[in-house]
Structures are given as structure tokens and as C-alpha cells.
């Protein structure tokens, strides 16, 4: 029974990780205003992906964490292809939503390319840094591993995603402001969410998941 619970926990973490990435890609189409800074909607939910990545790293180790990142990568490619294919299908003559569909989901491919390149690159970098820090801290210092690995990974994530997804869509100065805001916000949110990381790790370890 405990073996099944271990599988259920891993399946749940994997599903939520993929879902967070899919939703982030969709809502990133919306640029909202924060004190004159153009901010993509993905900032609302994407920081959760780092919490999930840290929990998976702590419980299952780098190999499993990298596998989940790879699977989320593939799943999101499929989602982007389906959105694009459906957009290309001829619209029914009485359906008035084609322009709205293409305005939101038709913009998805560029956002998905940027998001996926950033996701897989920063994800592997985050896991590598997390693992390196853990070699020095041992089982203690989860907060240091979680935050330390994110400092560089989030910067790479923001640079890749913003430049690929929004270069030419907004002015270069606005793009730099967006990168700085998203990076700072992501780090602040991760600090705020650090207790959640501890809670999840503590709760899930009761299933005797080996910490690698």
C-alpha cells in the first residue's frame, strides 16, 4: 500500500507540474499593467513550478526531477501543436470566435517556444545547482538549496522566455523592465513560499519516499 502511495504522490506532483506549465503558457498571453510595467499573466502561477521542482528534487532526486521536466516539456509541445492545428481548421460560418481564438491561442506557439526553452534549460540548471548545494549541506538547509538554486535558474528562465516571447511585441525598455520585475517577483514569491516547500516535503516524507 505504501508503494502505491509513493506512486500516487509522484504522479500527482508530475501532473501538477505539467499543469502549471500549460496554464502559465496560456495566461502569459495577457500583459497586465503594474505601475507602468508590462507583466505577463504567467507570473501569477509559474513560481509554483519552482516549489514543485524543489519538492521533487528533495524527495526523489535529480534523475526523477529531470525526467518530469522532460515529460512536461513533451506534453506542452503536444498542447501547442493541438492549439495551432485547431486554429488552422476552417471556422464554421456562424461561429464568431475565430479572431478571439487566434488572438489568444494563436499567439501561443511563440510563447510556448520561449517558455519551453526557458523551462527545460532553467529546470535542469535549477536541479543541478540544488544537487550541488545538497552535497555540501546534506539533509539540512533545504531553504538554502531551494533559494540558492533559484537565483541563477530564474535569471536564465526570465531572459530566455521574455526575449523569445516578447521581443518586438513591446519596446526594448519595457522588455528589460518586465525581465527585472519578473525576476525580482519570482525570488520574493519563492521566499514567501519556502514554508510551503517545507510543509510538502515533511508531509510527503511520511510515505517513506527515499530522499536522493
Amino acid at each position: 500500500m505504501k508503494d502505491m502511495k509513493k506512486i500516487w504522490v509522484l504522479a500527482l506532483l508530475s501532473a501538477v507540474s505539467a499543469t502549471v506549465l500549460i496554464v502559465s503558457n496560456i495566461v502569459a498571453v495577457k500583459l497586465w499593467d503594474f505601475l507602468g510595467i508590462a507583466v505577463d499573466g504567467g507570473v501569477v502561477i509559474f513560481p509554483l513550478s519552482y516549489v514543485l521542482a524543489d519538492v521533487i528534487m528533495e524527495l526523489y532526486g535529480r534523475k526523477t526531477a529531470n525526467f518530469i521536466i522532460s515529460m512536461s516539456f513533451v506534453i506542452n509541445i503536444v498542447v501547442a501543436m493541438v492549439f495551432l492545428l485547431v486554429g488552422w481548421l476552417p471556422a464554421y460560418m456562424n461561429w464568431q470566435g475565430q479572431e478571439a481564438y487566434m488572438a489568444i491561442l494563436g499567439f501561443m506557439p511563440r510563447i510556448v517556444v520561449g517558455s519551453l526553452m526557458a523551462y527545460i534549460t532553467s529546470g535542469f540548471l535549477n536541479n543541478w545547482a540544488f544537487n550541488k548545494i545538497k552535497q555540501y549541506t546534506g539533509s539540512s538547509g533545504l531553504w538554502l538549496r531551494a533559494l540558492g538554486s533559484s537565483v541563477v535558474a530564474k535569471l536564465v528562465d526570465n531572459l530566455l522566455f521574455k526575449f523569445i516571447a516578447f521581443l518586438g511585441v513591446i519596446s526594448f525598455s519595457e522588455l528589460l523592465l518586465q525581465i527585472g520585475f519578473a525576476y525580482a517577483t519570482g525570488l520574493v514569491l519563492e521566499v514567501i513560499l519556502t514554508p510551503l516547500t517545507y510543509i510538502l516535503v515533511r508531509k510527503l516524507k511520511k510515505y517513506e519516499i527515499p530522499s536522493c
Side-chain angles (χ1 to χ4, degrees), residues 156-170:
V156 171
D157 178 85
N158 276 286
L159 287 173
L160 283 175
F161 174 63
K162 304 299 184 185
F163 272 100
I164 295 174
F166 296 112
L167 185 62
V169 177
I170 57 179

Side-chain angles (χ1 to χ4, degrees), residues 46-57:
F46 191 70
L48 285 175
S49 67
Y50 281 91
V51 173
L52 293 168
D54 292 338
V55 171
I56 294 169
M57 272 293 298

